[in-house]
Amino acid sequence: MSIKIGGIDVTESVINSEYRISVLEKVLDLLMQRTSVPITQKEIEDIRKVSLDELGVKYPEAGIHKK
């Protein structure tokens, strides 16, 4: 049984998110082993902003914003 909040299917979203995070962690670990290219704090903040903006577009009814 699914629960929907603000237009978001919570069960599907959690499973999808955990899967994607797991894949990204493994890809990042592999890339970090193969290269020594650093990432700056500014780049991390820029990535976070873009990601948050994308979630806001994907789930407009949820009122997603930075705290």
Side-chain angles (χ1 to χ4, degrees), residues 16-29:
N16 185 43
S17 295
E18 286 196 32
Y19 169 73
R20 293 177 63 134
I21 290 167
S22 177
V23 169
L24 285 171
E25 286 175 338
K26 288 167 181 54
V27 168
L28 284 173
D29 286 342

Side-chain angles (χ1 to χ4, degrees), residues 28-53:
L28 284 173
D29 286 342
L30 184 61
L31 287 172
M32 287 170 38
Q33 291 172 10
R34 293 185 179 177
T35 182
S36 61
V37 178
I39 184 168
T40 66
Q41 189 62 37
K42 167 102 170 73
E43 289 170 319
I44 292 171
E45 291 302 319
D46 291 346
I47 290 167
R48 288 178 176 158
K49 181 182 181 330
V50 168
S51 296
L52 196 61
D53 292 345

